Amino acid sequence: MTEEKKLTQLSEQEQQELMAKYDSESRTRQLTGLMSKVVIVLLLAFSIFQLYTGYFGELTAYLQRTIHLGFALVLIFLLFPARKKGNRKTIAWYDYILALLSVIVCGYWPVFYDTLVQKIGGINQTQLIIGGLAIILVMEATRRVVGLPLVIVAAAFLTYAYFGPYMPGFLAHRGIDINQLVEAMFFTTEGILGTPLQVSSTFIFLFILFGAFLMQTGIGNYFNDLALSIAGRRVGGPAKVAVFTSALQGTISGSSVANVVQSGSYTIPIMKRLGYHKNFAGAVEAAASTGGQIMPPVMGAAAFLMVEFAGVPYIQIVLAAIIPALLYFSGIWIMVHLEAKKQGLSGVSNEDIPNKKEVLKGLYLLTPILAIVVFIYMGYSISRAAIYGIVFTLIVSLFRKDTRITLPKLFKALTDGARSALGVAAATACAGMIVGVISRTGLGLKLGNEIVGLANQITETPMLLLLLTLFFTMITSIIIGMGSPTTANYIITSTIALPVIMTLEAQFNMGIPVLAAHMFVFYFGIVADITPPVALAAFAATGISGGEPIRTGFNASRLAIAAFIIPYMFMFNPAMLMIDTNVWEIIWIGITALTGMVALGGGLIGYWYKKLNWVERIISLIIGLMLVYPGGFVSAAGLGLFFAMIAYQFIINKGKGTGADVEGASV
């Protein structure tokens, strides 16, 4: 590594400070002494409990979820200070009390399990207190590790549940009294202990642990070398490295902000050094890092929630995500290429590129990720596949001295995995209350009928009605998703926004697959991380680039234009998700959609073979939309116009310059 490269890269401490600023899950105490050892033991015990139940079989629903929640709550109160700028060296006295209450509340289920599962009627006074404390503890833990927005939403829904008779219009319901509300939230599987926490206590934790093992063995760092060797020398090399690295790392990190800081600490300074504007450099990393959560084969934690919510196998979700994810990253790659050609930017110098032969020798390091997909395809449970993925990681790490697992690294992976899972556990427990209220009050169906009715007043044409309903759902998903982690984001959007689409399907029988509807809200919940005014991934990128947050956010949204268009496309033609299609149709969709991304990129950047004027940019955008739309005649017409546009530019330009070489050898 050259001295110049060292100077441009953020130190580990600077990365931690930046993540703590924009990612509430990173604002942990730095404990020393006895309590540091106690926390490490608890983190190890948490991971061992999850590995044991994942391999030998989960406990009954209530026991598995309450023990998982108990570990999470205790650790959150010991690790996360009550205030953003609170003391991070010592634990406040009241946090010891909250940790003890968490043990009592979550331990109540294992101790009195037989009594609770056999009870008839409502809850008694003791159970009312226990359940009430559970709600308060979960909301406070969520506030600390996830942030205030999710807590406010949960509190609003609980208030709505109680004051139902006083609500206006379609929002009115008969109401749920305190005893019934507390019982539903903690003594049934409809609230805190509902499906979201169930997924957290089984699938999600183990995949987070898998990601921690990849990072500790150094396999995660291999992604950087692989990206540099493939894309570093090409036009706009550092930007393409950012896209490539983020696509790989994002699929295991599960956090847009963490991905931005980890890969962006290297890529953003080099992008700036080679001539990219600071607002554009930060936007590239933010857009690419956000897309990591939709990148197969692992995807983000929310994909495992989709297994339960949509009721489809995980392998089907992975297959459905392939074409949209490739188009997403292809779109960003194409636009950074055209921007580099437009500005005349070169690639990374040879001295910063790792030896290609050495990098290629390490391709076997990717086998743990592929192994997970193979195990799931073979019919193994998701939990068992994740554990086998960890075992594969340990075995593969032994082949090289620099990746070999050691006892300290093993402990670090177990503790880091458990630490990273705390935010997911809190978010899913809190979001479970929202799901419970919606289930008890029927709000989702009411909201769906209302929005569809509103759209129906504007138009009665089925296609326009679907388009309008999808637009309303998109806005709802983005607003709800702002400031929320992906898991909570998807839980809320799938329970509030998704019923709108399914209500439309029930009323007009438009042939919308359930998986397509889930993917629609999933996509727009995720892009909230780069959509101003609350674009956490873009804001984190500005901490490295020194750019302007809002402008960086708008640039990131422009680069991620595919994420705003593709969901509409697969709603109108589910073949893009490999639903009810064949190989030839998939190939045709892939070719036309990828060509469409080139045209869209040219229109948005303002460059193909030459700089485009505003008329040419509009034409390019229209051609791009025609090609991205997965329809036979429209796509064929768009393809003809695309080649006509290229020919026109080539003739006008008379061969001047090297051209954009659309993803050719220079790319």
Side-chain angles (χ1 to χ4, degrees):
M1 181 181 288
T2 64
E3 187 64 23
E4 184 177 11
K5 182 175 177 181
K6 290 180 182 177
L7 292 173
T8 61
Q9 194 165 354
L10 293 184
S11 67
E12 186 176 345
Q13 182 179 353
E14 289 173 324
Q15 290 182 39
Q16 291 175 349
E17 290 174 355
L18 186 59
M19 286 179 64
K21 182 177 179 181
Y22 294 102
D23 184 8
S24 55
E25 295 182 29
S26 302
R27 298 172 193 146
T28 57
R29 291 183 171 112
Q30 306 301 314
L31 300 174
T32 57
L34 177 62
M35 285 314 299
S36 173
K37 294 180 175 61
V38 169
V39 167
I40 289 174
V41 170
L42 287 173
L43 289 168
L44 287 172
F46 195 9
S47 289
I48 291 170
F49 166 75
Q50 295 292 158
L51 286 169
Y52 180 86
T53 56
Y55 186 81
F56 291 102
E58 300 160 18
L59 304 178
T60 59
Y62 289 112
L63 296 182
Q64 180 77 21
R65 299 173 200 183
T66 50
I67 293 173
H68 176 83
L69 180 63
F71 270 117
L73 291 179
V74 170
L75 285 164
I76 286 170
F77 291 126
L78 294 180
L79 281 172
F80 290 81
R83 293 177 292 108
K84 185 176 180 180
K85 296 183 180 179
N87 190 332
R88 295 191 186 179
K89 300 296 182 182
T90 59
I91 300 173
W93 62 269
Y94 50 81
D95 282 335
Y96 286 111
I97 295 175
L98 292 174
L100 179 60
L101 287 174
S102 299
V103 174
I104 294 171
V105 166
C106 293
Y108 190 82
W109 260 107
V111 172
F112 297 100
Y113 177 76
D114 291 336
T115 303
L116 290 170
V117 295
Q118 295 172 17
K119 73 180 178 67
I120 300 174
I123 57 176
N124 58 36
Q125 192 66 27
T126 301
Q127 291 163 355
L128 178 65
I129 295 172
I130 291 291
L133 283 172
I135 293 172
I136 294 170
L137 291 170
V138 166
M139 293 181 76
E140 171 58 14
T142 304
R143 183 190 68 81
R144 293 188 184 197
V145 72
V146 177
L148 199 55
L150 180 57
V151 176
I152 293 173
V153 174
F157 272 85
L158 291 174
T159 304
Y160 169 73
Y162 183 76
F163 289 102
Y166 307 101
M167 292 292 160
F170 75 95
L171 293 175
H173 62 92
R174 66 180 182 179
I176 305 174
D177 65 36
I178 294 296
N179 280 48
Q180 292 174 327
L181 190 58
V182 170
E183 181 180 14
M185 292 301 105
F186 193 63
F187 293 99
T188 72
T189 53
E190 292 183 357
I192 293 172
L193 306 180
T195 299
L197 188 64
Q198 178 255 322
V199 179
S200 172
S201 66
T202 52
F203 312 150
I204 295 178
F205 187 100
L206 292 174
F207 272 88
I208 291 174
L209 197 58
F210 169 66
F213 271 90
L214 285 179
M215 297 306 295
Q216 281 304 312
T217 55
I219 295 175
N221 295 331
Y222 174 73
F223 294 155
N224 293 329
D225 291 340
L226 182 62
L228 274 169
S229 64
I230 292 175
R233 293 186 181 89
R234 301 178 186 276
V235 174
K240 291 174 180 175
V241 169
V243 176
F244 198 103
T245 304
S246 297
L248 292 172
Q249 288 190 345
T251 194
I252 60 173
S253 73
S255 169
S256 302
V257 173
N259 198 1
V260 165
V261 174
Q262 289 166 4
S263 57
S265 63
Y266 168 68
T267 59
I268 292 175
I270 295 185
M271 277 190 272
K272 289 176 61 182
R273 189 178 69 190
L274 291 184
Y276 281 103
H277 190 276
K278 57 187 178 181
N279 292 332
F280 188 84
V284 170
E285 185 59 55
S289 294
T290 299
Q293 295 176 80
I294 59 175
M295 185 68 183
V298 180
M299 303 175 68
F304 302 107
L305 287 166
M306 197 181 297
V307 172
E308 298 296 321
F309 283 22
V312 297
Y314 180 70
I315 196 69
Q316 187 177 340
I317 294 173
V318 170
L319 290 173
I322 290 175
I323 293 178
L326 290 178
L327 290 177
Y328 179 90
F329 283 103
S330 296
I332 300 174
W333 183 288
I334 289 164
M335 280 192 268
V336 299
H337 173 74
L338 295 176
E339 180 71 20
K341 295 295 292 186
K342 181 180 177 181
Q343 296 186 30
L345 303 178
S346 60
V348 180
S349 60
N350 288 334
E351 62 183 10
D352 288 332
I353 302 294
N355 185 284
K356 195 167 187 177
K357 290 184 179 179
E358 291 299 317
V359 172
L360 291 176
K361 286 180 182 178
L363 279 175
Y364 69 90
L365 293 171
L366 300 179
T367 55
I369 297 175
L370 299 177
I372 284 182
V373 179
V374 172
F375 284 127
I376 293 175
Y377 183 77
M378 290 171 62
Y380 288 88
S381 69
I382 297 176
S383 299
R384 189 66 65 89
I387 292 175
Y388 288 160
I390 292 172
V391 173
F392 251 80
T393 303
L394 294 175
I395 294 172
V396 166
S397 74
L398 299 177
F399 296 165
R400 277 171 52 168
K401 187 176 180 180
D402 59 324
T403 62
R404 194 167 299 151
I405 194 72
T406 60
L407 195 59
K409 286 183 177 181
L410 177 65
F411 285 160
K412 188 72 163 57
L414 290 170
T415 55
D416 283 357
R419 196 188 304 262
S420 299
L422 297 180
V424 176
T428 51
C430 190
M433 292 190 284
I434 299 171
V435 176
V437 170
I438 291 174
S439 175
R440 287 286 176 121
T441 60
L443 178 62
L445 183 59
K446 293 177 182 178
L447 189 62
N449 286 326
E450 195 68 18
I451 293 181
V452 171
L454 177 62
N456 207 7
Q457 289 178 11
I458 299 174
T459 179
E460 294 183 358
T461 304
M463 292 297 286
L464 290 178
L465 184 60
L466 174 60
L467 184 62
L468 200 55
T469 303
L470 292 177
F471 178 76
F472 289 151
T473 305
M474 176 191 73
I475 299 300
T476 304
S477 299
I478 291 175
I479 291 174
I480 292 172
M482 288 181 178
S484 297
T486 305
T487 46
N489 184 336
Y490 170 68
I491 293 168
I492 299 172
T493 53
S494 63
T495 51
I496 296 177
L498 183 70
V500 178
I501 300 174
M502 300 320 296
T503 299
L504 183 70
E505 165 63 18
Q507 291 183 9
F508 295 93
N509 193 26
M510 294 184 171
I512 301 172
V514 173
L515 179 56
H518 277 271
M519 292 289 283
F520 186 88
V521 298
F522 177 54
Y523 261 68
F524 283 115
I526 285 175
V527 297
D529 276 351
I530 52 171
T531 307
V534 184
L536 294 182
F539 292 178
T542 62
I544 304 172
S545 68
E548 302 167 64
I550 298 298
R551 289 191 178 183
T552 299
F554 278 117
N555 277 333
S557 298
R558 179 165 61 106
L559 288 170
I561 188 66
F564 293 90
I565 297 174
I566 290 172
Y568 286 92
M569 300 303 100
F570 62 61
M571 288 298 290
F572 284 103
N573 190 341
M576 187 174 279
L577 300 179
M578 299 192 193
I579 298 174
D580 297 329
T581 187
N582 56 60
V583 174
W584 298 112
E585 188 174 8
I586 291 171
I587 292 173
W588 171 253
I589 289 173
I591 292 173
T592 56
L594 184 60
T595 310
M597 294 312 303
V598 175
L600 284 173
L604 290 169
I605 297 299
Y607 188 91
W608 270 17
Y609 276 93
K610 66 180 185 67
K611 288 185 179 181
L612 307 181
N613 59 41
W614 66 271
V615 175
E616 292 170 329
R617 293 181 71 166
I618 292 174
I619 294 173
S620 297
L621 292 173
I622 293 172
I623 292 172
L625 291 173
M626 292 175 69
L627 284 164
V628 172
Y629 179 75
F633 175 76
V634 176
S635 296
L639 202 59
L641 291 172
F642 175 84
F643 287 113
M645 184 72 169
I646 289 180
Y648 167 76
Q649 287 194 58
F650 185 77
I651 293 170
I652 294 297
N653 206 40
K654 294 181 180 179
K656 293 179 181 179
T658 58
D661 303 326
V662 179
E663 298 305 288
S666 68
V667 182

